[in-house]
Structure formats: structure tokens, C-alpha cells
Amino acid sequence: MNFITSEPRLALGVRRSILGQPWHWRGMPADDLDASFAPDDLVTRLLLTRGCPRDAIEAHRAPTIRGFMPDPSIFRDMDRAAERLADAVEAGEPVTIFGDYDVDGATSAALLIRLLRALGLAPAAYIPDRLMEGYGPSGEALVRIASGGTRLIVTVDCGAQAFEALAMAREAQADVIVVDHHKCAAELPVAFALVNPNRLDEGDGAAHGHLAAVGVAFLLGAALLRTLRTRGFFAARPEPKLIELLDLVALGTVADVAQLRGLNRAFVAQGLKVMAGRRNIGLAALAEAARLTRAPLCHDLGFALGPRINAGGRVGKSDLGVRLLTTEDADEARAIAAELDALNEERRAIEAEVQEAAETACRAAGYASVHIAAGHGWHPGVIGIVAGRLKEKLGRPAIVIGIDETGTGKGSGRSIPGVDLGAAVLAAKDHGLLVAGGGHAMAAGLTVAANRIEPFRAFLEERLADDVARAASARALQLDASLAPRGVTAELVDAFDLAGPYGMGWAAPRIAAGPVRVVKADVVGKGHVRAILSGNDAASLKAVAFRAADGELGQALLGAPGDRRLWVAGRPKVDEWGSRRTAELHLDDAAWCD
């Protein structure tokens, strides 16, 4: 194995690959490069090349909650929120958890509901309907909850921009605790407490701005238990084990594409262990519906479990996810999981239609720093997924907007590293271009009048063009190692996994294999290219390029001359099919050797 640990430099001489990008070795930070420090341990090298400080290697090698957990009190309003919740617990007060309809919202709501149940309350859940109510808390909904007798409402994964709604709740004499992670404006809405590491006035807590809402909810849970412990609440009753809810934290964190660094890595690493025990019968039923028979991996949370929970909010009943994650009835869990599985299939069909239309719109619009595709009748439940697909395919931020019969567009955007889309959307809202909008660096949501889409497009082009250009010029495929095909084994994948979990901000290892020639290539499934490659070491290697059949990479593999050799680059994975574990390469790119 050729494993490079120097400053990033050209890899394998590839200046322009089949997909038009240079290949670089992923390097260690410059201050870790000296003659006295030359680690040969594979896991150590992987950790260092992902930005782990030299003095924190052991903590990152096996991330634990104890090793990364901050004092919850460092966050503004955290203690105030915990005291108010503790009062409610001691008084047996009605509490409603108001959650967003995506996975982060569902897991955040489920975590607080389960914790409050264990403390003796019977909290209610309110999940708004995506089509009828839209994103976030509406004043009407909060007033309706308050009029039903609830004086304490906790919003999760929403609320940071709900100025009017929270003002109406206050007038209705309801205390609202906002637990969120989306970007905040300089002015904050009126709330009893607003816990959000992305508040502009946040102090030490700002270092945890990469947390998903479910991570913030976990910290609130820790603060609540500490407050109750101080009050002597557990003198005559057992204290709930918050650690047992880490399966929910892991799922919400990965599904929300939060950066897997610091505390988030610990959340996911430990949450996967909890999930493997299948204590949550709803998650166990969902894994069964997704046909996951082994212990779940980080990848499964984002591509198998998360989309099914999301399907309820996207094309079905918004509260299905929370109901699944909080039920104690095994029969109900299986029924909800089956319904979510069916809705996920429906979502896929709708998504394919919208994606085709959005790609056509982008081609017609020509080059743009930020691609905006808008169409009448596009289902708002899939626009975020399609925006993500466009971003990956075009290499630039993308926003997809579905316009309804009233001329109102609901949009969802996804960005690329180095381009803060959430801040740009907030700025557009402040300029009067949007009815509503917000988000974080990598994702944003918005509401816009159809006749304001073009001014919005122009605003983003002017604001983000330089950032996109810089990100594009710095774009290169990062490689961790180069191997002959015989070296791509299941044992190699197992070794790589020791430096995980991997995800956004903590990239999974990518290797180059070769030189190889294409022995066979064909199209399988929905536009995937499967290939058998043969190397100079006479070993063969299976490779798959997903959704690549119509693109340059897929066409190169399908039309490769038998005597021409190339390097292939991608993520090594274990193929569990059959009786023997074998490795295959999931391709990201390739480059001709001559």
C-alpha cells in the first residue's frame, strides 16, 4: 500500500481525470510533519489526515461521550430551559414537544418524549403537516396547543426564525423553549429560552455549532437530569439512563448530514452500539422493514433508516416518524414501519419525476454559480433530495423550488464546502426577496413568491459567485492510498472502519486502484455501471459507479478499450452477498494512465 502523509500534492500524476479534476493525496497538517513523528499505524494516519490534533489521537481513536461532552451550561439559556423543564416534571405539568417533520426533528422530539416519560410525564407530540402547515411552528398551532391546557411547549429543530409564532404563543401565556441548530438572525424571537449553538451571541457553545438539533436536545436532557439530581428528585426513584437514547441521536445526526467531528463522532460511534442492541422497538421494526439483518453501520442511518422516517413527513403523515420512535407496542411498530417503507417507495417515484424536470430546467438556464430550478406542482416533500442530487451532479450549490397553485414557491437548497448557503438565504430574506428562509452552511429552506425567483437568483449569483469559484478552483479528489487490485480486501475495509465513523466533515477513506483494464462493464439497476477490472497483479476487482451510466465516468467504463489501462478511485466496501465477504470499489472517478 502506498500511503501518503505529506502536504497535499498531485496523486499518481493525475492533473485532469475523466471527470475533469486533479487528484491529490490527503495530507497531514504541516505542523505534524517532522522527522521525529512518522506514524506507521493505519488508523493514526487516517485520523491525522482528517484534522485530528496529534495530542488528541487516542480520544479520537475510540470517541466516547465522556471524552467529548461539554458542560451543557456553556450554552446560552440552557440552564433556564432545564430549570423550567424540571419545574414541569416536579409539578406533573402538561408539556408538548413541537418537532419538525424530518429525521432530525423526529429524533429530537422522540428523545425528549422518551426522557420525560421516564421522569413521570405524559408529553404530547405535535408535528406540523408539510403541505398544509409548512416548516416550523405557526402561531395558530401554538395558540391551539396553549388553549388545550399546555403552558409549556418545546420546539425542536425549528423555532429560531419563528418571530410571529412565538409572539403569539407568549400572548397566549405559553412558555416556549426553542431547541434548534439553524442559523439565527441578530435579533432573536421572543421565547422563554432559546438554546441554539448558532446564536450570534453564543459564547463557548459556538464551538458546537455543527451539532444537529437532536444533539442539542441530548445536551438539554443532560442539563435537565443534573438539575433534578441537584433538587433531590432521584432520592426515591431511579434516574433514567440518557445514554440509552443515543441511538436516536446517532440517527438524527447522520440523517441531517451534520459534520462528524468532535462530539458528533462520539454521538454516532456510541449510538451505533446502542442501536445494535435493538432496545427501541420502533427502530428495530424499521431495520427489519429495511431488510437490515446485521448491526447497522453509519451508512445505513443515512441511506436506509433515515429516508424511511423522512418519507412520512415528505409524502405521508408527518407524525409517523415520532410515533414509530416512541411506541412501546411491537405490533404498532411493525405496522408503522411497513407504512413508512411503502411511502418511501412512493417518494422515490415522485423524486425521479421531479429530478428529471429539474435537470432539464438547469440545462435550459445554462451556467450559474448557484443552480436554481423551479417548477409548478413539484412535490415539496422531495425538493430537498433533488437539490442534493443536483449539487452532487453539478458540483455547485443547488436550490429546487416547487410552486403551488397560489404562486408561492417552497424551496430547499444544498451547498458545497466553502459556500455558506444558509447565511445567503438569511441575507436574501433580510433584503425582502423571500417570504421566509433560513438554514445552515450546507442546507437551507425558503418560501418565495414566484415573481421574486429571478431577483433571488440574481442576488445569490452576486453574493456567492466568488465563493463558488474559490471552492471550484480548490476542488480535487482527495485520496488516502493507492493499491494494486489484490490489496482491496474486506480486511482493508475492516481496518479503515477503526478510524470511523465517517460522514460529513470526516471523510470515508478513498483509494486509487490500478493500473487496471476493464474486463467487462454493463448497466445495472437504474443507471448504475458495474465493472470487472483486472490489474497488473493478475487480480480482479469488482467496481460500481452509481447513477453514472449517462455521464462521462459511466461512458468511459462502458466503452473502455480492452488494451487501455486506467486508475480508478473510490470507496472500498464489503460485499456481504453470498457466503464469503469480499471487497468492491464504489467509484468516484477514474483516470487514463496514458
Side-chain angles (χ1 to χ4, degrees):
M1 179 188 300
N2 177 17
F3 209 104
I4 306 298
T5 57
S6 64
E7 280 292 310
R9 62 183 182 183
L10 198 67
L12 303 171
V14 177
R15 298 185 181 277
R16 184 175 178 83
S17 68
I18 287 173
L19 293 183
Q21 60 189 334
W23 290 2
H24 288 170
W25 296 117
R26 199 188 311 272
M28 289 198 309
D31 57 5
D32 276 322
L33 297 175
D34 57 59
S36 64
F37 186 68
D40 56 6
D41 172 47
L42 174 64
V43 175
T44 299
R45 290 177 181 244
L46 288 171
L47 294 174
L48 289 168
T49 55
R50 277 144 188 80
C52 174
R54 190 194 304 188
D55 59 2
I57 288 174
E58 291 310 311
H60 283 76
R61 189 184 295 271
T64 63
I65 304 301
R66 182 184 296 274
F68 287 93
M69 182 86 165
D71 182 344
S73 294
I74 67 172
F75 297 90
R76 288 190 180 275
D77 280 3
M78 180 68 83
D79 290 340
R80 180 172 168 81
E83 293 284 350
R84 181 65 181 87
L85 275 171
D87 291 344
V89 169
E90 290 187 322
E93 183 180 349
V95 178
T96 294
I97 310 298
F98 189 112
D100 187 26
Y101 37 64
D102 70 359
V103 183
D104 193 16
T107 52
S108 300
L111 184 148
L112 291 181
I113 288 169
R114 283 186 165 274
L115 178 59
L116 292 175
R117 279 181 185 171
L119 293 170
L121 295 187
Y126 189 103
I127 309 296
D129 182 273
R130 180 190 291 264
L131 297 179
M132 302 301 294
E133 299 178 81
Y135 169 77
S138 66
E140 293 78 7
L142 296 182
V143 170
R144 189 164 57 250
I145 293 170
S147 65
T150 297
R151 289 292 179 264
L152 178 56
I153 303 169
V154 184
T155 71
V156 289
D157 197 29
C158 58
Q161 295 287 326
F163 292 90
E164 182 179 351
L166 295 187
M168 291 176 65
R170 169 163 285 195
E171 290 179 6
Q173 299 184 325
D175 291 338
V176 180
I177 296 172
V178 175
V179 179
D180 205 350
H181 70 131
H182 293 100
K183 286 189 177 294
C184 295
E187 180 184 356
L188 297 174
V190 177
F192 183 88
L194 197 156
V195 185
N196 184 338
N198 288 306
R199 288 175 55 153
L200 296 183
D201 61 348
E202 188 59 80
D204 293 342
H208 299 278
H210 60 292
L211 292 178
V214 70
V216 183
F218 182 89
L219 293 172
L220 175 58
L224 170 60
L225 292 180
R226 182 174 62 184
T227 300
L228 290 170
R229 193 182 310 123
T230 301
R231 295 184 182 187
F233 184 77
F234 300 116
R237 61 185 299 162
E239 181 174 336
K241 295 180 180 178
L242 188 62
I243 208 82
E244 293 180 355
L245 299 177
L246 281 174
D247 48 2
L248 297 172
V249 183
L251 176 57
T253 298
V254 173
D256 210 52
V257 201
Q259 291 202 12
L260 294 194
R261 55 185 175 87
L263 181 58
N264 278 347
R265 285 193 69 235
F267 278 154
V268 175
Q270 300 305 318
L272 284 170
K273 295 178 182 178
V274 174
M275 197 177 295
R278 303 207 170 194
R279 292 171 179 251
N280 186 307
I281 62 174
L283 277 176
L286 193 65
E288 183 179 344
R291 293 160 286 284
L292 282 177
T293 55
R294 51 167 170 72
L297 305 175
C298 191
H299 175 89
D300 299 321
L301 307 189
F303 292 91
L305 303 182
R308 285 171 167 80
I309 290 180
N310 257 337
R314 293 188 187 281
V315 296
K317 303 171 186 174
S318 296
D319 67 344
L320 283 178
V322 171
R323 287 172 52 200
L324 176 75
L325 298 175
T326 57
T327 184
E328 299 297 341
D329 184 316
D331 291 336
E332 181 185 29
R334 283 190 290 270
I336 295 175
E339 185 173 1
L340 287 172
D341 191 50
L343 287 171
N344 193 48
E345 290 301 316
E346 181 182 342
R347 185 270 305 169
R348 287 177 175 173
I350 297 171
E351 175 195 326
E353 294 178 5
V354 174
Q355 183 170 343
E356 182 178 356
E359 289 184 6
T360 300
C362 288
R363 286 193 294 269
Y367 178 84
S369 298
V370 179
H371 278 287
I372 298 180
H376 289 274
W378 290 356
H379 198 296
V382 302
I383 55 176
I385 301 173
V386 174
R389 300 271 193 224
L390 289 179
K391 181 261 297 185
E392 291 296 330
K393 190 167 188 175
L394 302 172
R396 294 188 290 281
I399 297 174
V400 178
I401 301 172
I403 305 171
D404 65 19
E405 64 278 2
T406 70
T408 299
K410 295 294 180 68
S412 186
R414 299 294 182 268
S415 193
I416 60 177
V419 181
D420 191 335
L421 187 60
V425 166
L426 269 179
K429 177 189 171 188
D430 291 341
H431 279 72
L433 296 172
L434 303 176
V435 176
H440 47 81
M442 300 300 289
L446 57 96
T447 302
V448 59
N451 61 3
R452 302 295 282 167
I453 292 176
E454 288 308 314
F456 174 56
R457 188 195 307 270
F459 176 87
L460 289 187
E461 189 68 27
E462 180 178 356
R463 181 183 175 95
L464 296 179
D466 289 345
D467 290 345
V468 173
R470 279 191 292 270
S473 65
R475 175 173 165 254
L477 195 74
Q478 301 291 321
L479 297 176
D480 289 289
S482 64
L483 304 92
R486 192 179 301 279
V488 185
T489 64
E491 290 73 24
L492 174 75
V493 178
D494 292 340
F496 280 164
D497 284 346
L498 294 175
Y502 300 103
M504 177 62 66
W506 198 266
R510 181 186 289 116
I511 66 170
V516 297
R517 62 184 179 86
V518 180
V519 177
K520 179 183 179 182
D522 51 12
V523 179
V524 297
K526 297 182 179 180
H528 312 313
V529 176
R530 178 180 57 192
I532 302 297
L533 311 173
S534 177
N536 293 338
D537 59 355
S540 61
L541 173 65
K542 293 189 296 182
V544 182
F546 292 101
R547 295 183 295 275
D550 296 329
E552 294 174 317
L553 177 58
Q555 289 299 304
L557 294 170
L558 292 168
D563 59 349
R564 194 174 183 190
R565 296 187 179 272
L566 71 167
W567 286 97
V568 291
R571 320 275 189 181
K573 302 289 183 179
V574 172
D575 181 4
E576 302 282 357
W577 184 260
S579 59
R580 188 169 66 92
R581 296 173 79 241
T582 59
E584 63 183 20
L585 199 60
H586 292 183
L587 298 183
D588 295 316
D589 202 356
W592 300 111
C593 290
D594 53 307

